[in-house]
Structure formats: structure tokens, C-alpha cells
Amino acid sequence: MSGLRIIPIGGMGNVTQNMYVYQYEDEMLIFDCGIGFPTQYMPGVDIMIPDVTYLLEEIEHGKKIVGMVLTHGHDDHIAALPYILPELPEFPIYASPLTAGFARQRMKDSPVQREVTVFKENESFEIGSYFKVEGFPMTHSVPDTRHFAVHTPEGTIYHGTDFKIDLQPVDHVLPDFDTISRLGKQGVLCMLMDCLRVERQDWSKSESAVYSAIEESMIDVKGKYIMTLMSSHIHRIQQTVNVAAKFDRKVVFIGRSVEQNVEVAMDLKKLFIPAGMIVNKRDMQDYRDEELCIIIAGSQGQEGSSLMRAVYGDHPVLQIKPKDCVVFSSDAIPGNEIPYFGAIDELSRNGVKVLYPEIIKDLHQSGHGGAMEQQMMLALVKPQYVFPMGGQDRHREKFHELVAEKMGYKDHEILIPGMGDILEFKDGVPKVVDHINLQPRLVDGLGVGDVGRSVLSDRQALGREGMVVIVIPRVHGQLDSKNINIISRGFVFMKEAQEVVEFLKQTSKDVIEELGVDAKDEDIKRTIERRLARKLYKIIRRAPMILPVIVES
Amino acid sequence: MSGLRIIPIGGMGNVTQNMYVYQYEDEMLIFDCGIGFPTQYMPGVDIMIPDVTYLLEEIEHGKKIVGMVLTHGHDDHIAALPYILPELPEFPIYASPLTAGFARQRMKDSPVQREVTVFKENESFEIGSYFKVEGFPMTHSVPDTRHFAVHTPEGTIYHGTDFKIDLQPVDHVLPDFDTISRLGKQGVLCMLMDCLRVERQDWSKSESAVYSAIEESMIDVKGKYIMTLMSSHIHRIQQTVNVAAKFDRKVVFIGRSVEQNVEVAMDLKKLFIPAGMIVNKRDMQDYRDEELCIIIAGSQGQEGSSLMRAVYGDHPVLQIKPKDCVVFSSDAIPGNEIPYFGAIDELSRNGVKVLYPEIIKDLHQSGHGGAMEQQMMLALVKPQYVFPMGGQDRHREKFHELVAEKMGYKDHEILIPGMGDILEFKDGVPKVVDHINLQPRLVDGLGVGDVGRSVLSDRQALGREGMVVIVIPRVHGQLDSKNINIISRGFVFMKEAQEVVEFLKQTSKDVIEELGVDAKDEDIKRTIERRLARKLYKIIRRAPMILPVIVES
């Protein structure tokens, strides 16, 4: 008889692509189904999705998925649904109201339509025969975030997804300390906890602290007030709307993600905008600039986003003018600094006032708690074991040192399994019992998974130094070394480089003649590639991709 | 008769690649000759160097370069010397002792050897017939940094390169407030001033504050102490050596840039290391780990740097073990976050203790002053006009608002010319009189300038979606559509994509047959390219570079 398995399929050591599986006997319960965001080392990749091979194999061996719980409405927790659900048999999906709303929205544009059941707060519900789940309010940068107790035959696991402890939340829904303390008193075997912001020793500021920063940023604006933020940040949108109301500005929403999320949140009464205050983006010209507060998507400088198109003068309805004020209510996510600050520089160059958290500090507050809040959660829940999740490797290690150890946990009580490690609790004792090789699954356009490591490394090589194709015709079975063709892109500016072309042709010709008529095609191609690579590097210190090809005709 | 021209050839709106030209009558005086660092949007580019076309054209028109002054020893101020000097006629070069030492070192490995004259502190020296220059000590993150007064027939210009106001500098050389106040009293026409860190409203902390952070980081280390930092940061190195001495650790320098800079600084008595304290990296194995303090290059996570090789287990003499402690005494420069934090994650994953400024705040102090220090400089120098330099566009705009305006400067007294604008002072009045089109000059391997916008945009396209070459043979004047060859890289994993290959061949064949035998090659190639682009985007939402080529045989 096996114990309780906890299998992180994503969301560990790489923050995004969250998916955690709880397995007991023949039943599997999934938490979250999120996408990941590619780095600069994955050119052309749009998103990453979890590798569910383990689930498929277990299903083949007679196991079943009894349900999926969505913890909150961020894309790195829900947006892989349209990709992953078609790969798996059907099962019930549970979420809080807004999370369910966002999840339905993500599926709406895809061929996948599944029911999402809204569970009742503070009431256990059973999933399968072994899992009893309780969801209760927790504060984070999207409303209706929930933490969970997963009661299993091996004990209770606290699933502590992304959170901060916000004592003045915008919607007045505090973390449910009653339930958290009750769980702590009843006994929790293991607590999985968001550790992303462990590097910050201070207690994070409340989201409501952003209000006065928005006020400060809007008070003197003579033209349009243009605010960009994470499009799921409904409370930030609420506060911006409230400040706009105070200054008699109408609100305009621009950008698909913002428009969709606002619609969902208003329908569910999670966002309140007075009647008549919303102006359709196509009717903006009916208002004077100083009457408008525009909330727009693209706060990370994403290529093609509404904000970027407006910044670079390419938006159909929004022109940014010198009297306008553009406010970035977000930090740059690591890796996005160049486009993010590039947009701020471009606006500055054009004489537009730009405000961002470096200038008005409270313009952004993180949704993640610092080390002290993580310590507080340990003090309340008092789990036997603690398992940091939702951070990169450095965060998990710092959690060990700065949170768990400081709260008296011993090394063996702090669980930091490696990526793909399967943790099992049996008779109250945790052990890594197995390992799965998680493969990155990259989505490029409509293709899923056909872009793998070799395609990516080819792209990187091509992107760094370009390429040279050497086309050698074969006529009547003989290589025609007098008619070699050179095709090159991204290497040197070829129109000025006749010399380089001649050199490439001559070197290839030399190889063909040296190896003689009996040489195998493979040998000729390999020799040409190697010799050109060596010579080019020596002459010009560059390494373009070299592709010799023999063409029959 | 013309006035005094100030021509920023680099270092304005893009921080690096510093080169400023002062021109009066037929004489030009250059300040600095620095390199720039490519962003992720310039794949394969090693460095950028200033575009000196303006200088060459002026020389053609009978003007001459009377000299070059180097302000301090950072690479973005001196490292383009080996590339730029051969393009220009000879002229005298002036610098402070350490700056001269670093400049000679940069030229040592190149074919260019030029004298660098060390000027006397606080003594005016004449350059050409019109310029009288005074250099005096200023504090920054490299010793021997100087600010300058440039006395010209039009008035005195204060050349305020990169600085902070450090009141406890490690070498006890304070900014020369006597000279600065005297200049302020005598009257300064215009002050050029570093504005990079204007976003910070506070006064920067002294470099000497790093000492206790280094002490804190070294005190409990059981294995090797490994510190990485900017390799020209001699005062940081000095403080690390001092702490190492206190804890009885020998110092080892690893990495070409660190080793060279330490040698130059010690020779010039700018760095003091007790005899017998330095251990050669090849003799490390003679010491126990806890006896060693290693100072290593690669603090930005640069590919191929000594630190990165050690982190990923590929360094010939340095192995990093779990008991060691690696200390990053540097922040990630925007755009370097992924490799920088990637290295910290890799070390964390391997159980190595890593410390960095997010964890111990004072482990790094910037070399640039905040808005208050910039205000202080204005209060001392009281220039008629002020010209922010050394920042990106957002910094120059924020300088306007947060520094100059607050100190009472009116809009017309704050000069923020655009990139390539030539500013002229005549009878005390500034005016933009001309504009030059500065071209980016990219160095890739040994090639300078042959990588331009078109090559870069090809590289970006190739890197994002890969490429497909369609080779169509022509036999006896006829296109042979049965023997079309497809070569592809970085597009889809071709071994699994026979279907895709067939589709590409068939579509090309269709085009050839549709257009008929009389079609021009160009039309066939263009039609194939367009049709495939459209179809591929429709089917799979991807846009590889498509290169049809007709091969004669």
C-alpha cells in the first residue's frame, strides 16, 4: 500500500507553469494548470505548458484523475487549461467565483469547453474517495485567491499558493485566520508555501497603499491619464477607477486581456464601476483629454500589446501626446527590463510624462509576502513539514535559511525536492520515492511540442551568427563544383561581401576536388562544414551555421 | 566666426559608448572613447563603438583633433581606443594615473600603441590654442576618476562625468570641493553632468559601507570565500582584501580582466596587498579551502567568464563546493537578469551558499549619485546652463524635473539635445545648430561595421522562427519541380515533419506550374515565398524566413 504522493509537475524552481498533483492509491487530484513564459533563450516560443506525461502513464496503469482545483486566476495557474484538458480524460474542475470566471474566459476562445464548479467557502468538499478539500480566502494580487487544506488518509496538507498577508485588502476580505488557526490546531502534516519573495525581509505593504500613489500621479495631469498594469489586477483597477471618479475622469479600457477581465469581474461583482463612467475606446474622441483615464494592457512592454502600439505611434484609437501622463503600475519582471524601460525612454524622448515605481515607490505593491509573512504563516499553521514552492531555486534555498530554520525547523523537516522528484508521505514520514523527467513543452504559434531543444538551439545559433547554405548541384552523377551557390542571411552584409562569397565557393570547391569523385556525400558535406567553420572563425571570429547541401538535378 | 560646439557622439540617451567632442574654430577636443554593450536585440554582437564619421568629415574640411582626455577607467569610457585610434590621425591623450594605466592595458592586446600622458592635478594644461583643461578628483566606482573644467574662449564648461559624492572614500581622496567651489565662484557657462541615478532621491551610501557587508558575508564561511565584482572596482577589491586579511585568508585572482586590472592598480600603488598574501590560481590546491578568498570576474553572469565556467563546473582550476560561499558584490545590469540570477539559482540548486545584494543590501553600492547629489553639484557649481549626460532618455527627463527644475533652473537653461544634435554656444547663448546621423557601429568577432541593421534584423527573424530554404534546380534551362530540395533549421523538428516537407515541396511545385515556363525567376521566387508565408502562418501561426533559390546546373 502506497502513501500520499505529491508530484510537482510545474511551479517549482521556475515560478510559473504551476501544476501540482496529489496522488493516493488510484486517485490523482490536480492543483492548477498554468502556463510559463519563455526567456530570451527560447526565441519564437509563445508560452510553455506543463508536461503531463506522468498523468497519462498513470492513467494507462489504471489510475484516474478525480478532479482539478484552481487556486487563483493568474495565467501561470490557469491558462494552460485549453492546451492540457484535451489531452486528459474529463474530470470535475473547482474554483472560487472569479477564478472560475477567468478560467471560463480562457477556454472561451479555444475549442475546449468544460464546466468549472464554484466550491463553497469554508465547507469541505469531497473529491474522489480519498480527498477532502477546504478552500478559504487568502490575499494576493487577484481577488478570490484561495488557500486550501487537503485532508487525506495520510494527514492534512496545506496548499499555500501565491499569497501576501494584506491586512487592509481593497475588498475587505482578510485572509481567513480563523480557518488557518483551526487547521494549525488540528494538525497539518505538511505545508506547501509560496516562497517567491523571501529575499525581502520586510512585511509587504498593503495593496491599498497604492491608492494614494495613484492619486498623487493623477492630480496634476493636464491631458489623458494612461495607466498600465497587470490585466488581472482587479483591485488595482478598482482603485484607479476610484481615483478617476474623484477627479471626474471617465474610464476607458484598452487591450483584449484588460477588456475581458474587466467584463468578467464586473459580471461577478468583483469590480464596481458607477453607471455612465465607462467610455468605449471607440468613443474617446467625444471627450477632452483631461476627462479621460485610460487603463491599458502591456505593462511589461510586451511586443504587440496595446500600450506598446500606442507608445510607438501605431495604435488605431489611442494617440499619446506630451500633456498626457503614462503610469506604469508594475515592476519589470526579470528579463523584460529592455522593452519595459525602452518604452519609458521612448515616451520620455517624446516629452510625455512617465511615472513608474522607481519614481513613485508605492505605484506598485507586490502580491507576494516577504520572509516575515512566510514566518507568520508557519507560526499559525505549525506544519510538521514545510515545502517551499512557487519560487526559483535561490528562493527555495533562502526560504530554508531565512524562514524555516529561523522558525525552528530542522533540515529534515524542510522539503526541497528537485524538479521532477516525487515525494511520498507514508506513516507520516516523507521520502523521495521516484523521479520523472519533465520535458519542456513549448508552444510556438499553433504547434505544441514540435519545438524542442534541437530546434531551439538551432534558432539560437541562427540568431547569433546567421547562416550560410552551400548548394552544390550534381549533374549526371557528378558534383558540379563550378556552379556552387551561396545563400546567406544574418552573417555579413552580403551585397558588400563578394569576397566572402568567393572564398566560400572556392573552399567548397577545393574540398570537392581533394576528396575526389569517390567520396561519399556525407563526407563531402561534413568536410566542407568543418573547414569553413574553422577558416571563418580564424579570419573573422564568427561561427555562422554552415549547411552544405547536394542537389540532384 | 563660430562659437563653441559640444557634440555628443555617444554616452547620451544610451549610457555607454561615451565620446564627447568640444569644437572651437578648427580645433576639436575629445572626451572619452568608450564601448557600448549590446542588448538581447543585437544577437551575436560583441560590443558597440562610437561612430566617428563627423570627426573624419571635419578633418577632411581642414579641422584637427588637438587631443583626447579620458575621464576615468571604465570600459564604456576607454575601451574603444584600440578600434577608434587607428581611424584617426595621432593626437595627445591625457588621463589620470590609473585611467592611463587601464588605457595602456586596453591597447596592449591590440595593434594600437599610443602614449597616454598623465596630467598634473589642479593645474591647468593647454590643449591646442583654445582649450585650457583642469582635472581634479571626483569620487566614483573606480579610483582616479576626474571631473574637468574646460576653459574656452566662450566660457568655462564643467565636464562632470560619472560620479557620486562619497564622503568616506576608501582611498580618502574626497571630491575636490575647493576647486569645484572656485569654479562656481569664477562662473561656469554650462555643466555637463552624469544623471544616471536620478531616479533615486536619496544620497548614495559611501563605498566604505560595503566593508561591513563583506565582513558579515565572510565571517561564518567554512569553505572558500568567492567574491565576484566589476573587475575595475579597485576599492571594492581593496576592501575585500582587507577583510580577507582579518580572517587570515589568502587572496586569489581569477579571470583575465581582474588579473590585469589588479596588476595595473598595484603597480601604480592604487591597490595595496601585503606581501605573501596573494596566491597564484594554479597553486590554490596547496591551501585548505577555508584559507582562501577568491576574487573572480563574471559578476554579470557573462557567458564564458571565469565565474560562469566555475558555476557550471567547467573551470580548469576552480571547483565550487557546498561549503563554499559565493558573493555577488554587484547588481544585475538591466538585460542581464536572466544569466545573473540563473547563476545564483544554479549554485543554490547545488547547495552552495550564495549572497547577493537582495539578501545583504550593502553588498553593493552604486558608483552614481542620486538626485540629491546632483542637486548638491548644481548648488556648488552654479552653472548658467545644465546638460544632463550619461543617462538614458528617461533619466535626462527626470533630471530636468527632479534636479534642475527643483534648483530653480528654467526650461531654456536645461539643455537636453537629441542624439546627434550639435549644440553651439555663441556669445553665451546655446543653440542646436546642426544634426549628425550617428550610425550604430557593431563589432562582431573581428568584423567592425559589416553587421548592420539588415543583418541584425535577419538574425532576429532567423532566431525567432528559423528558416526554410527551397532549392529549385534548373536543368537545360527548365525548372525541375520534381527535384525540389528543402533545407530547414529552427523551424520544426524536421525528422518528424515529413508532412511539412511534402507540403513545402508541393506548394512550390504548384507555383512553378501555375506561373508557367515564361515566368521570371524573381516572380517565381517571390510568389513561392509569399504563398508559403501565408499558408504556414495560417496552418501553424509561424513565420520562418523563407528563401527560395534557383540553382543552375
Side-chain angles (χ1 to χ4, degrees):
Chain A
M1 183 158 154
S2 73
L4 172 74
R5 289 181 158 204
I6 302 178
I7 307 134
I9 282 182
M12 216 189 52
N14 64 354
V15 187
T16 56
Q17 249 177 300
N18 287 279
M19 182 178 255
Y20 282 77
V21 179
Y22 291 81
Q23 184 170 11
Y24 190 83
E25 295 291 332
D26 60 338
E27 297 189 355
M28 297 186 285
L29 166 61
I30 305 174
F31 274 80
D32 289 335
C33 186
I35 58 170
F37 308 99
T39 71
Q40 62 210 64
Y41 301 105
M42 301 178 190
V45 175
D46 303 318
I47 57 167
M48 301 183 287
I49 58 173
D51 173 8
V52 293
T53 311
Y54 175 82
L55 299 177
L56 296 174
E57 285 174 0
E58 290 294 290
I59 290 167
E60 223 165 79
H61 290 93
K63 310 286 163 56
K64 59 177 185 274
I65 299 169
V66 289
M68 177 186 276
V69 176
L70 304 173
T71 62
H72 63 287
H74 282 155
D75 280 347
D76 58 334
H77 291 260
I78 62 166
L81 288 170
Y83 301 92
I84 298 297
L85 292 182
E87 302 182 333
L88 301 175
E90 287 209 36
F91 44 75
I93 304 173
Y94 304 91
S96 65
L98 186 67
T99 309
F102 283 170
R104 287 186 201 113
Q105 181 64 52
R106 297 293 171 282
M107 289 189 278
K108 203 173 158 185
D109 304 326
S110 82
V112 188
Q113 312 298 330
R114 294 279 169 85
E115 260 313 300
V116 183
T117 307
V118 173
F119 59 78
K120 282 201 185 139
E121 309 294 305
N122 304 98
E123 224 173 75
S124 292
F125 54 103
E126 289 183 8
I127 305 183
S129 331
Y130 301 114
F131 302 106
K132 233 168 73 181
V133 176
E134 286 180 83
F136 46 88
M138 178 49 63
T139 43
H140 184 42
S141 43
V142 61
D144 281 10
T145 296
R146 299 290 178 259
H147 272 186
F148 295 87
V150 187
H151 305 289
T152 79
E154 277 289 332
T156 298
I157 310 293
Y158 187 105
H159 193 85
T161 193
D162 303 0
F163 77 102
K164 72 194 284 186
I165 301 184
D166 189 338
L167 299 177
Q168 293 88 38
V170 171
D171 61 1
H172 308 296
V173 181
L174 283 164
D176 182 356
F177 294 119
D178 290 348
T179 300
I180 296 171
S181 320
R182 190 221 338 127
L183 291 168
K185 211 168 159 189
Q186 289 171 349
V188 167
L189 176 62
C190 180
M191 181 180 195
L192 279 63
M193 181 177 2
D194 169 24
C195 67
L196 180 65
R197 215 153 151 275
V198 67
E199 291 161 347
R200 301 294 288 266
Q201 316 281 307
D202 49 349
W203 196 285
S204 69
K205 267 202 190 177
S206 169
E207 172 60 23
S208 56
V210 178
Y211 183 88
S212 36
I214 298 175
E215 207 173 23
E216 183 191 340
S217 70
M218 203 183 293
I219 196 161
D220 286 327
V221 176
K222 306 271 178 278
K224 296 189 288 293
Y225 180 89
I226 301 166
M227 143 84 69
T228 185
L229 38 59
M230 210 165 87
S231 62
S232 60
H233 208 321
I234 301 303
H235 286 157
R236 186 79 45 90
I237 293 174
Q238 181 72 68
Q239 298 198 93
T240 309
V241 167
N242 295 353
V243 177
K246 189 172 162 177
F247 291 111
D248 283 327
R249 287 178 186 259
K250 305 278 180 190
V251 292
V252 184
F253 297 102
I254 302 183
R256 194 160 158 273
S257 57
V258 167
E259 293 170 51
Q260 287 181 344
N261 290 344
V262 163
E263 196 189 325
V264 171
M266 286 183 70
D267 280 352
L268 292 168
K269 306 217 178 315
K270 302 290 170 182
L271 175 65
F272 305 91
I273 307 185
M277 202 181 155
I278 299 182
V279 168
N280 189 292
K281 62 186 175 191
R282 267 167 283 275
D283 302 326
M284 275 199 296
Q285 67 277 16
D286 300 343
Y287 296 82
R288 282 174 295 131
D289 283 355
E290 63 270 33
E291 292 175 320
L292 295 173
C293 166
I294 293 160
I295 298 178
I296 189 168
S299 63
Q300 289 298 320
Q302 300 94 320
E303 209 182 325
S305 64
S306 298
L307 178 65
M308 287 307 100
R309 293 169 63 196
V311 165
Y312 293 98
D314 187 32
H315 196 278
V317 298
L318 177 61
Q319 284 84 43
I320 303 180
K321 302 178 207 155
K323 281 197 172 171
D324 298 341
C325 177
V326 178
V327 176
F328 282 73
S329 183
S330 63
D331 287 331
I333 293 172
N336 289 353
E337 287 80 3
I338 303 287
Y340 173 95
F341 287 113
I344 295 174
D345 283 324
E346 174 71 15
L347 290 166
S348 301
R349 208 158 28 236
N350 299 332
V352 178
K353 180 163 177 155
V354 199
L355 295 171
Y356 46 106
E358 275 80 1
I359 298 298
I360 302 184
K361 219 179 140 206
D362 283 348
L363 267 182
H364 177 65
Q365 297 298 343
S366 171
H368 297 267
M372 277 189 66
E373 287 150 277
Q374 296 168 21
Q375 290 176 12
M376 182 70 203
M377 288 302 287
L378 283 185
L380 289 169
V381 178
K382 302 180 283 289
Q384 276 179 265
Y385 294 93
V386 58
F387 178 142
M389 65 172 176
Q392 293 188 291
D393 287 312
R394 65 183 183 281
H395 303 118
R396 303 200 296 149
E397 286 304 325
K398 289 298 169 197
F399 177 91
H400 183 131
E401 179 191 341
L402 303 175
V403 176
E405 226 170 68
K406 289 210 173 174
M407 294 298 291
Y409 283 81
K410 304 270 170 280
D411 279 0
H412 75 276
E413 296 164 330
I414 307 166
L415 310 175
I416 307 191
M419 183 65 121
D421 280 351
I422 294 178
L423 192 71
E424 186 173 285
F425 282 95
K426 204 169 172 180
D427 306 323
V429 181
K431 201 179 151 189
V432 171
V433 292
D434 208 345
H435 182 86
I436 48 179
N437 278 314
L438 293 167
Q439 297 299 319
R441 294 184 71 207
L442 311 176
V443 180
D444 177 3
L446 298 183
V448 179
D450 61 337
V451 171
R453 281 186 213 283
S454 69
V455 171
L456 277 190
S457 78
D458 279 352
R459 284 186 186 172
Q460 282 190 33
L462 286 166
R464 207 151 33 210
E465 301 278 7
M467 57 94 179
V468 177
V469 181
I470 319 282
V471 184
I472 308 158
R474 174 154 41 209
V475 188
H476 306 308
Q478 289 279 74
L479 293 186
D480 178 5
S481 62
K482 275 189 294 299
N483 278 311
I484 291 173
N485 261 263
I486 305 292
I487 303 141
S488 166
R489 286 293 185 284
F491 169 42
V492 292
F493 189 52
M494 290 302 272
K495 285 195 181 149
E496 289 175 357
Q498 201 45 44
E499 231 178 298
V500 178
V501 172
E502 280 315 314
F503 164 80
L504 295 168
K505 283 185 180 175
Q506 187 58 49
T507 307
S508 306
K509 191 169 172 235
D510 292 349
V511 169
I512 293 167
E513 281 163 11
E514 274 169 45
L515 294 188
V517 289
D518 295 332
K520 284 187 196 144
D521 285 4
E522 279 318 303
D523 290 336
I524 288 169
K525 290 198 281 183
R526 200 175 48 242
T527 310
I528 289 176
E529 186 191 331
R530 288 192 186 160
R531 187 166 310 172
L532 282 178
R534 202 179 61 236
K535 288 198 171 190
L536 283 176
Y537 190 75
K538 205 170 154 193
I539 299 169
I540 195 169
R541 288 274 186 285
R542 288 188 202 167
M545 185 180 280
I546 297 167
L547 297 168
V549 51
I550 293 170
V551 176
E552 305 290 338
S553 56
Chain B
M1 185 160 154
S2 72
L4 171 73
R5 288 181 159 206
I6 302 179
I7 307 134
I9 283 183
M12 217 189 50
N14 64 353
V15 187
T16 56
Q17 250 177 298
N18 287 277
M19 181 177 256
Y20 281 77
V21 179
Y22 291 82
Q23 184 170 9
Y24 191 83
E25 295 289 335
D26 60 336
E27 296 191 354
M28 297 185 286
L29 166 61
I30 304 172
F31 274 81
D32 289 335
C33 186
I35 59 170
F37 309 99
T39 71
Q40 63 211 63
Y41 301 105
M42 301 178 191
V45 175
D46 302 321
I47 57 168
M48 299 181 289
I49 58 173
D51 172 8
V52 292
T53 311
Y54 175 81
L55 299 177
L56 296 173
E57 285 174 0
E58 289 295 290
I59 289 167
E60 225 166 79
H61 290 94
K63 310 286 162 55
K64 60 179 186 272
I65 298 168
V66 290
M68 178 186 275
V69 176
L70 304 174
T71 61
H72 63 286
H74 282 155
D75 280 347
D76 58 335
H77 291 259
I78 63 166
L81 289 170
Y83 301 92
I84 298 297
L85 292 183
E87 302 182 333
L88 301 174
E90 286 209 35
F91 44 74
I93 304 172
Y94 304 90
S96 66
L98 186 67
T99 309
F102 282 170
R104 287 186 199 110
Q105 180 64 52
R106 296 294 171 281
M107 290 189 277
K108 204 173 157 184
D109 305 327
S110 82
V112 188
Q113 311 298 331
R114 294 281 167 84
E115 261 312 303
V116 183
T117 307
V118 174
F119 59 79
K120 280 200 187 142
E121 308 295 306
N122 301 98
E123 223 173 73
S124 291
F125 55 103
E126 290 182 6
I127 305 185
S129 332
Y130 301 114
F131 302 106
K132 233 167 74 180
V133 176
E134 287 180 80
F136 45 89
M138 179 47 64
T139 42
H140 184 42
S141 43
V142 61
D144 281 9
T145 296
R146 299 292 178 257
H147 272 188
F148 295 87
V150 187
H151 304 290
T152 79
E154 277 288 334
T156 298
I157 310 294
Y158 187 106
H159 192 87
T161 193
D162 302 0
F163 77 101
K164 71 194 284 187
I165 301 185
D166 189 338
L167 299 176
Q168 293 89 38
V170 172
D171 61 2
H172 307 296
V173 181
L174 282 164
D176 183 355
F177 294 119
D178 290 348
T179 300
I180 296 171
S181 318
R182 184 201 9 108
L183 290 168
K185 211 170 157 186
Q186 289 171 351
V188 167
L189 176 62
C190 180
M191 182 179 195
L192 280 63
M193 180 177 5
D194 168 25
C195 67
L196 180 65
R197 214 152 151 277
V198 66
E199 291 162 344
R200 301 294 287 263
Q201 316 281 309
D202 49 350
W203 196 286
S204 69
K205 267 200 189 179
S206 168
E207 172 61 24
S208 56
V210 177
Y211 183 89
S212 36
I214 299 175
E215 207 174 23
E216 184 191 339
S217 71
M218 203 184 293
I219 196 162
D220 286 326
V221 177
K222 306 270 178 280
K224 296 190 287 294
Y225 180 88
I226 302 166
M227 145 81 70
T228 186
L229 38 61
M230 210 166 83
S231 62
S232 60
H233 208 320
I234 302 303
H235 287 156
R236 187 80 46 88
I237 293 174
Q238 181 72 66
Q239 298 198 91
T240 308
V241 168
N242 294 353
V243 177
K246 189 170 161 180
F247 292 112
D248 284 326
R249 286 178 187 260
K250 305 279 181 191
V251 291
V252 185
F253 296 102
I254 302 184
R256 195 159 157 274
S257 57
V258 166
E259 292 170 50
Q260 287 181 345
N261 289 345
V262 163
E263 196 188 324
V264 171
M266 287 184 71
D267 281 352
L268 292 168
K269 308 219 178 310
K270 302 288 170 183
L271 176 64
F272 304 92
I273 306 183
M277 201 179 155
I278 299 182
V279 168
N280 189 292
K281 63 186 174 190
R282 266 167 283 274
D283 302 327
M284 275 199 297
Q285 67 277 16
D286 301 344
Y287 296 81
R288 283 173 298 131
D289 283 354
E290 63 269 34
E291 292 174 322
L292 295 174
C293 167
I294 293 161
I295 297 178
I296 188 166
S299 63
Q300 289 299 320
Q302 300 95 319
E303 209 182 324
S305 64
S306 298
L307 178 64
M308 287 307 101
R309 293 168 64 195
V311 164
Y312 293 99
D314 187 32
H315 196 278
V317 298
L318 176 62
Q319 284 84 42
I320 304 180
K321 302 178 207 157
K323 280 195 172 173
D324 298 341
C325 177
V326 178
V327 177
F328 282 73
S329 184
S330 63
D331 286 332
I333 292 173
N336 289 352
E337 287 79 3
I338 304 285
Y340 173 96
F341 287 114
I344 296 175
D345 283 323
E346 174 72 15
L347 290 164
S348 301
R349 209 158 27 236
N350 298 332
V352 178
K353 180 164 178 155
V354 199
L355 296 170
Y356 46 107
E358 274 80 1
I359 299 296
I360 301 184
K361 219 180 140 205
D362 283 348
L363 266 182
H364 177 65
Q365 297 298 344
S366 171
H368 298 268
M372 278 189 67
E373 288 150 278
Q374 295 168 22
Q375 290 176 12
M376 182 72 203
M377 288 303 287
L378 282 185
L380 289 169
V381 177
K382 303 179 283 290
Q384 276 180 263
Y385 295 94
V386 60
F387 178 144
M389 64 173 177
Q392 293 188 289
D393 287 311
R394 65 183 183 280
H395 303 117
R396 302 199 300 148
E397 285 304 326
K398 290 297 170 197
F399 177 90
H400 183 129
E401 177 192 342
L402 303 175
V403 177
E405 227 170 65
K406 288 209 175 179
M407 295 299 290
Y409 283 82
K410 304 272 171 280
D411 280 1
H412 75 278
E413 296 165 329
I414 307 165
L415 310 175
I416 309 193
M419 184 66 120
D421 280 352
I422 294 179
L423 192 71
E424 188 174 284
F425 281 95
K426 203 168 173 181
D427 306 324
V429 180
K431 201 179 150 190
V432 171
V433 293
D434 208 347
H435 181 84
I436 47 180
N437 278 313
L438 294 167
Q439 296 299 320
R441 294 183 71 207
L442 312 176
V443 181
D444 177 3
L446 299 184
V448 179
D450 63 336
V451 171
R453 282 187 212 280
S454 68
V455 171
L456 278 189
S457 78
D458 280 353
R459 283 185 186 173
Q460 282 190 31
L462 286 166
R464 207 151 33 207
E465 301 279 7
M467 57 91 182
V468 177
V469 181
I470 319 281
V471 184
I472 308 157
R474 173 155 41 212
V475 188
H476 307 308
Q478 291 279 72
L479 294 185
D480 179 5
S481 63
K482 276 189 294 298
N483 279 312
I484 292 173
N485 260 263
I486 305 292
I487 305 142
S488 167
R489 288 291 186 284
F491 170 44
V492 292
F493 189 53
M494 291 301 272
K495 285 194 183 149
E496 291 176 356
Q498 200 47 45
E499 231 177 297
V500 177
V501 172
E502 281 313 316
F503 165 79
L504 295 168
K505 283 186 180 174
Q506 187 59 48
T507 307
S508 307
K509 190 167 172 241
D510 292 349
V511 169
I512 293 167
E513 283 164 10
E514 274 168 46
L515 294 188
V517 289
D518 296 330
K520 285 188 195 138
D521 285 5
E522 280 317 304
D523 289 336
I524 288 169
K525 290 198 280 183
R526 200 175 48 240
T527 311
I528 289 176
E529 187 191 331
R530 288 193 185 159
R531 187 168 309 173
L532 283 178
R534 202 180 58 235
K535 287 199 172 189
L536 284 176
Y537 190 75
K538 204 169 155 193
I539 299 168
I540 196 169
R541 287 273 187 285
R542 287 188 202 167
M545 186 180 278
I546 298 167
L547 297 168
V549 51
I550 293 170
V551 177
E552 306 290 336
S553 56

